[in-house]
Amino acid sequence: MMADLSRFTWGKKKKIEPEEKDEMKEKGTEGNLNSILKEMAEQVDGLLCIAVAGSDGVAISTYVPPGSMLNAELAAVQLASIFRISRTTSDKLKAGELEDNLLTSTAGQILIRPLGEESYLAMVTTRDAPLGIVRLVVKSYASKVEQALGKGN
Amino acid sequence: MAVEEENKETEETKKRSIGEVVEEVASMTEGLLGVGVMDMEGVPVAVVTPPGSTLNAELAAAQLAVVVRLCSLTADKLKLGDFDENLITTASRYILTKALTPDFYLAMILSKESTTLGMARLVAREHAARVYKALPKFE
């Protein structure tokens, strides 16, 4: 399965029209976050779930594409445990700051990337989803998501 | 007892052979700081840390066993099949764990400076098959 590369929009910053900007403000953090997750979702084939959650496992925002049977709340809790253990592991093994954690199973791939100290961004895909694109999308959107989170505080 | 002795002997030969395989893996891999086969209790079966590496192998084995268990549990709970591998990327290291059997896993710690993500994954996949063959099989 080949990814449709024509849909990639990063690098070229989308011009935000003044009206659109106001609309984003009105929607608040949650609306803004949801639209970012949706934008991410459009660029990845084989997506099962995108989650932004706290390290305590409480989901902040999740996106599950139609057709995916994944339980996003459960995913947020489980992935928070992995996020915490990866950080403890890199600390204990004196390996420096955690950049990301990639879990591969027979049917899926999970990429978790920290957003500051207290939260993370995770993408769950099928096993055949192109890993390079998953990493690129998560990496390039991490700061955007972090920004959207920061606005809410 | 002769039978017991024989069993012991074969077990020892098998153990030595997995040690040799891990040793070989270590000599073949660039940027390696440590490689080992551990059981799910965090007890090392065969571990090699190249000279100069400051890695605490016991600590790594124990810590990574927790990681592997959690990853298996997660794959299970999210109905994503069986756990295959987990890769922790940090500022300076790749910490890779790969399930060999339900009871054993392969762990590799690599320096980010001298290897790439693609190479680390490729090398782990290749080595996992060799190590798996050398693993003692319990009937």
Side-chain angles (χ1 to χ4, degrees), chain A residues 95 97 99-100 102 104-106, chain B residues 80 82 85 87 89-91 112:
Chain A
E97 208 173 317
E99 274 183 15
D100 60 34
L102 173 72
T104 314
S105 70
T106 47
Chain B
L80 289 173
D82 295 326
E85 63 176 44
L87 179 80
T89 311
T90 71
K112 229 173 147 181

Side-chain angles (χ1 to χ4, degrees), chain A residues 27-42:
Chain A
K27 273 199 255 169
T29 315
E30 211 191 315
N32 196 0
L33 249 182
N34 283 343
S35 60
I36 294 173
L37 297 196
K38 211 167 171 186
E39 203 180 306
M40 286 173 77
E42 281 164 13

Side-chain angles (χ1 to χ4, degrees), chain A residues 102-131:
Chain A
L102 173 72
L103 193 167
T104 314
S105 70
T106 47
Q109 298 180 113
I110 306 173
L111 185 68
I112 307 170
R113 200 181 169 85
L115 299 172
E117 286 295 306
E118 291 303 315
S119 42
Y120 69 85
L121 167 67
M123 188 178 270
V124 185
T125 66
T126 54
R127 176 73 194 246
D128 53 4
L131 178 63

Side-chain angles (χ1 to χ4, degrees), chain B residues 22 26 31-36 38 47-50 53 55 57 94 96 107-111:
Chain B
V22 173
L32 189 92
L33 298 170
V35 59
M38 286 72 147
V47 178
V48 174
T49 49
S53 168
L55 190 80
Y94 291 120
L96 204 143
M108 288 176 97
I109 302 185
L110 300 143
S111 158

